[in-house]
Amino acid sequence: GESVGLHLPTLSVQEGDNSIINCAYSNSASDYFIWYKQESGKGPQFIIDIRSNMDKRQGQRVTVLLNKTVKHLSLQIAATQPGDSAVYFCAEKAGRRALTFGSGTRLQVQP
Amino acid sequence: GAGVSQSPRYKVAKRGQDVALRCDPISGHVSLFWYQQALGQGPEFLTYFQNEAQLDKSGLPSDRFFAERPEGSVSTLKIQRTQQEDSAVYLCASSSNTGNTEAFFGQGTRLTVV
């Protein structure tokens, strides 16, 4: 299948540890942000989103933090599992424009 | 349908051939997007439809690329006279409205131009 993320920065964590993946965005007009997970040979899969009027949002085992002052987004994954291994992309949206994706981070979970 | 469906899953084309890639969005979804993803890169925006109207085609790399969604449902991305640099995964996504809601992606079509 398709191999995603051959040249991407890699975060390697031990199973059970918490993971933090960071993303810097450039458009100060962006008002909606999504984190996607992409496994090899598959399309991006929605994880969690956040609107610009919030600075934190929690889901199941995941938390997204948004710092609009420095245009920074992070994804925290609690108790990382081998199934979390994938490439993670942040995406931003300004108004009705389409999503713009960041360059991605590969997460490798060591058993 | 249950999700966004794209076909074919894989396509090998000889340089100079025309190709057509199909996207079946989630039923009832108003917005449809096409993205191009090169190996090791994030998806790059190509074009966007709201129902049958193509509202943004600013990401199409050349006039060899053409997309349509004539009845506001299924969409086709056509690439004429394919070149090697067109080799990539072409992703389609749909969302239920035009506002800030998640976009659901298909598995993509991997195009290899030889």
Side-chain angles (χ1 to χ4, degrees):
Chain A
E2 177 68 28
S3 179
V4 175
L6 290 181
H7 307 291
L8 297 174
T10 298
L11 174 65
S12 187
V13 300
Q14 292 292 320
E15 181 178 357
D17 286 353
N18 297 333
S19 303
I20 300 177
I21 301 171
N22 296 303
C23 175
Y25 65 94
S26 57
N27 188 354
S28 56
S30 292
D31 55 5
Y32 181 58
F33 305 86
I34 302 179
W35 279 100
Y36 282 94
K37 172 186 180 183
Q38 189 173 28
E39 296 172 287
S40 236
K42 297 184 178 180
Q45 177 188 355
F46 173 90
I47 301 173
I48 191 168
D49 61 0
I50 188 168
R51 288 168 171 73
S52 59
N53 61 351
M54 304 171 68
D55 53 20
K56 179 179 180 179
R57 188 158 190 238
Q58 289 184 295
Q60 187 177 11
R61 283 203 306 119
V62 294
T63 301
V64 55
L65 299 177
L66 174 62
N67 185 329
K68 295 182 289 294
T69 303
V70 296
K71 297 202 282 289
H72 183 268
L73 198 65
S74 69
L75 176 70
Q76 300 177 2
I77 304 173
T80 315
Q81 302 168 1
D84 295 327
S85 294
V87 177
Y88 289 80
F89 293 98
C90 66
E92 60 181 295
K93 188 172 183 288
R96 296 196 168 194
R97 297 179 66 90
L99 285 169
T100 300
F101 282 77
S103 56
T105 298
R106 176 197 294 271
L107 176 65
Q108 290 182 337
V109 182
Q110 309 296 331
Chain B
V4 178
S5 178
Q6 293 187 246
S7 61
R9 186 78 176 88
Y10 301 94
K11 176 69 179 177
V12 178
K14 291 185 177 179
R15 191 166 48 184
Q17 252 185 331
D18 297 349
V19 298
L21 312 180
R22 177 186 170 108
C23 172
D24 284 83
I26 294 172
S27 179
H29 275 197
V30 168
S31 298
L32 185 145
F33 308 86
W34 283 99
Y35 285 82
Q36 180 191 60
Q37 187 173 27
L39 199 61
Q41 304 291 323
E44 295 280 346
F45 171 74
L46 293 176
T47 187
Y48 158 54
F49 290 86
Q50 182 179 322
N51 296 308
E52 69 278 5
Q54 189 174 19
L55 298 188
D56 187 348
K57 54 181 181 179
S58 61
L60 296 176
S62 77
D63 59 7
R64 295 186 296 104
F65 287 70
F66 171 78
E68 60 183 3
R69 194 186 185 198
E71 296 178 0
S73 177
V74 171
S75 178
T76 304
L77 176 67
K78 298 179 179 177
I79 309 173
Q80 296 177 321
R81 304 181 302 282
T82 53
Q83 300 177 5
Q84 283 191 318
E85 60 262 31
D86 299 334
S87 296
V89 174
Y90 290 86
L91 293 163
C92 177
S94 70
S95 65
S96 58
N97 59 46
T98 59
N100 290 337
T101 57
E102 63 183 285
F104 296 86
F105 281 81
Q107 292 203 69
T109 294
R110 181 182 181 184
L111 173 65
T112 303
V113 181
V114 296

